[in-house]
Amino acid sequence: MSELTKILLDESEMPTQWYNIVADLPEPPPPPLHPGTHEPATGEDFAALFPKALIEQEMSQERYIDIPGEVLDVYRLWRPSPLFRAHRLEKLLDTPAKIYYKYEGVSPAGSHKPNTAVPQVWYNAQEGIRKLTTETGAGQWGSSLAFACAQFGLESEIWQVAASYRAKPHRRTMMEVWGGKVHPSPSDLTEFGRSLLAQDPDHPGSLGIAISEAVSEAIEDPKTRYALGSVLNHVLLHQTIIGEEALLQMAKVGAVPDVIVGCTGGGSNFGGLAFPFLREKLKGNMNPVIRCVEPTACPTLTKGQYRYDFGDTAGLTPLMKMHTLGASFIPEPIHAGGLRYHGMAPLVSHVYNLGLVEAIAIPQTECFAGALQFARSEGIVPAPEPTHAIAAAVREALACKESGEEKTILTALCGHGHLDLASYDKYMAGGMEDLDLSDEVIAEAMKGVPNIV
Ligand SMILES: *Cc1c(COP(=O)(O)O)cnc(C)c1O
């Protein structure tokens, strides 16, 4: 049995509940705050942005939340997703370690993002919302939301970070195929966008800026809401379907992870994979080391501070306690566009602060070196973001080769890189550089973070 390559679940074995880790943490996470009063935010403070059902999930203490039937029906288009044992990569690395990866690139959009796009659109549809606005960096989230909106008949309007809009025209096409309306950000459609374009007509944009634009459009129209693809509690909640399936799949082959590694941009694929395993760890059923992996060019956990900060650059969102590089921070244009965000999910920041998970940062050339090893052995071309998780798994497997330990390593291959081939071109042509971040640049961006103890 343990020699299987692809470990599958039947549709009938697909989990029907999401897991809310808040119910099991030794300390509750600090609440979001109203940006004006600095008092704990209430549901009302989010009401212009999100539907009631999602606000309830955002604040929920319930351990398990039922996945609505119509959401399960859409999930079945690609779920349960496969768990692979990386026999060929293990052989290439000549390691005694066993490497498993949960593959989320089988979704229509090619990543884990539809796991939350589908329920977010469904809950909005139930409350009569007609249109959703959002931002997208690499294009993965925008395409996922456009796909989900097409499933339930909603319109989608998407602000794509300008640097990515120019570099990745096929992602824009994909969003348009699913009926999405796409703008480069900064755009001339919002006051904030116009002010930035006045300073620099070639502004590269950032996720924080694109969020500000999408939010400001949503709050003007009562039939429009905003959707966020990462960071928030309800997003991580929806992604736990990844870890719940992986638990069942590992159990099928009698495998228990010693190390779990996941790439962290806003923290959603990491939380989705890791939190169900963290539940088992807190219960004493297993004891894996759980490690976040981020780019050295955007080291939110390893170099950011744990402070209250805004989720967007213009300061429109409630304040969240999270590891942050400062809401005005504009990361270097590394290829892993999905990891270029100034903050980290409050839940991931909280479990990191409690010492329940670790974090490391890896430079992008090491990530692409690992990605080539992976593609040439396992076949799948990874998205630039999970190359960070792969590089971390490779590091761990090579350490096992040194020590002779037979550790079981688990990671999420959260997306494929078919629309990111330009970054592979650049790497193979020798033109990719590692972008390190100076302490001065971080200190400058941190100056704008509100002073809340
Ligand atoms: C969006 C994205 C990420 C980063 O977001 P998380 O919330 O940290 O998961 C990572 N990988 C892929 C493929 C993405 O699309």
Side-chain angles (χ1 to χ4, degrees):
M1 276 296 264
S2 62
E3 293 308 307
L4 280 180
T5 294
K6 191 159 61 162
I7 304 143
L8 298 173
L9 296 176
D10 288 337
E11 268 186 38
S12 62
E13 294 172 289
M14 190 166 84
T16 56
Q17 293 184 313
W18 295 301
Y19 168 58
N20 180 10
I21 191 150
V22 173
D24 288 322
L25 290 175
E27 280 176 40
L33 302 181
H34 185 280
T37 63
H38 296 178
E39 292 297 318
T42 62
E44 281 299 300
D45 299 328
F46 291 100
L49 294 180
F50 303 117
K52 286 194 189 68
L54 290 176
I55 297 171
E56 265 167 39
Q57 291 183 357
E58 189 61 27
M59 305 196 156
S60 172
Q61 317 269 327
E62 290 293 316
R63 182 169 287 111
Y64 293 102
I65 293 177
D66 287 338
I67 306 176
E70 286 185 275
V71 171
L72 288 171
D73 287 343
V74 182
Y75 275 0
R76 285 192 190 96
L77 292 174
W78 71 96
R79 308 208 71 86
S81 70
L83 177 78
F84 287 91
R85 167 88 185 271
H87 289 295
R88 287 161 180 79
L89 179 64
E90 291 166 18
K91 198 166 159 206
L92 178 77
L93 299 172
D94 188 23
T95 176
K98 300 184 180 75
I99 305 172
Y100 291 87
Y101 59 96
K102 177 80 167 150
Y103 185 42
E104 291 295 312
V106 291
S107 79
S111 76
H112 64 291
K113 296 272 181 15
N115 296 334
T116 182
V118 172
Q120 287 195 47
V121 173
W122 186 81
Y123 286 114
N124 272 287
Q126 299 318 296
E127 295 183 25
I129 297 303
R130 308 295 297 276
K131 178 164 121 183
L132 288 173
T133 67
T134 198
E135 74 294 331
T136 194
Q140 292 271 18
W141 169 241
S143 10
S144 303
L145 193 76
F147 154 70
C149 281
Q151 286 292 316
F152 297 112
L154 272 74
E155 288 174 51
S156 57
E157 190 165 356
I158 301 146
W159 276 260
Q160 184 174 11
V161 175
S164 154
Y165 184 90
R166 291 175 205 133
K168 295 182 147 193
H170 294 140
R171 270 288 167 198
R172 171 170 51 79
T173 308
M174 209 169 170
M175 292 185 253
E176 290 170 351
V177 165
W178 278 314
K181 199 163 160 196
V182 189
H183 314 290
S185 167
S187 73
D188 56 12
L189 295 159
T190 67
E191 203 180 310
F192 187 51
R194 285 190 293 272
S195 73
L196 294 170
L197 287 175
Q199 290 163 28
D200 176 2
D202 297 319
H203 201 297
S206 73
L207 276 174
I209 294 167
I211 294 173
S212 299
E213 293 202 275
V215 163
S216 66
E217 282 291 291
I219 49 190
E220 277 173 18
D221 178 356
K223 288 284 180 206
T224 300
R225 292 284 182 277
Y226 164 73
L228 187 62
S230 184
V231 177
L232 297 178
N233 297 358
H234 67 268
V235 178
L236 274 62
L237 172 82
H238 301 154
Q239 293 295 353
T240 58
I241 184 95
I242 303 173
E244 293 292 10
E245 284 181 5
L247 266 172
L248 297 174
Q249 287 162 310
M250 296 287 275
K252 276 201 171 187
V253 291
V256 181
D258 299 302
V259 185
I260 298 173
V261 289
C263 69
T264 45
S268 74
N269 88 85
F270 171 84
L273 174 70
F275 286 174
F277 286 88
L278 183 52
R279 170 189 69 216
E280 298 305 312
K281 179 171 170 154
L282 291 169
K283 276 201 266 180
N285 292 338
M286 54 176 71
N287 194 22
V289 169
I290 304 177
R291 191 174 295 140
C292 306
V293 191
E294 56 187 15
T296 47
C298 193
T300 319
L301 286 167
T302 53
K303 288 203 178 164
Q305 293 178 19
Y306 189 41
R307 295 259 296 266
Y308 273 101
D309 197 3
F310 292 102
D312 72 312
T313 308
L316 302 176
T317 68
L319 291 158
M320 293 176 289
K321 188 152 185 189
M322 60 183 178
H323 278 267
T324 180
L325 294 164
S328 67
F329 175 68
I330 298 184
E332 294 283 343
I334 51 165
H335 292 286
L339 306 185
R340 290 177 69 227
Y341 182 62
H342 68 274
M344 181 55 60
L347 275 177
V348 173
S349 299
H350 182 57
V351 295
Y352 179 61
N353 196 54
L354 291 174
L356 298 173
V357 305
E358 304 176 352
I360 57 170
I362 300 187
Q364 61 179 352
T365 54
E366 180 180 340
C367 297
F368 276 83
L372 285 198
Q373 287 181 307
F374 187 89
R376 288 172 185 179
S377 53
E378 293 297 313
I380 299 168
V381 180
E385 293 83 7
T387 65
H388 292 74
I390 290 169
V394 168
R395 275 190 190 183
E396 195 68 40
L398 292 177
C400 286
K401 183 178 173 180
E402 284 292 309
S403 67
E405 283 172 285
E406 294 179 16
K407 285 187 190 169
T408 297
I409 303 165
L410 171 65
T411 191
L413 181 55
C414 56
H416 68 64
H418 297 176
L419 294 174
D420 305 280
L421 292 174
S423 58
Y424 280 87
D425 249 349
K426 185 142 190 204
Y427 174 73
M428 291 187 292
M432 187 179 285
E433 285 168 32
D434 285 330
L435 306 161
D436 229 337
L437 188 58
S438 73
D439 292 340
E440 290 77 55
V441 172
I442 301 176
E444 189 57 39
M446 289 303 294
K447 278 187 194 159
V449 176
N451 243 323
I452 302 170
V453 221

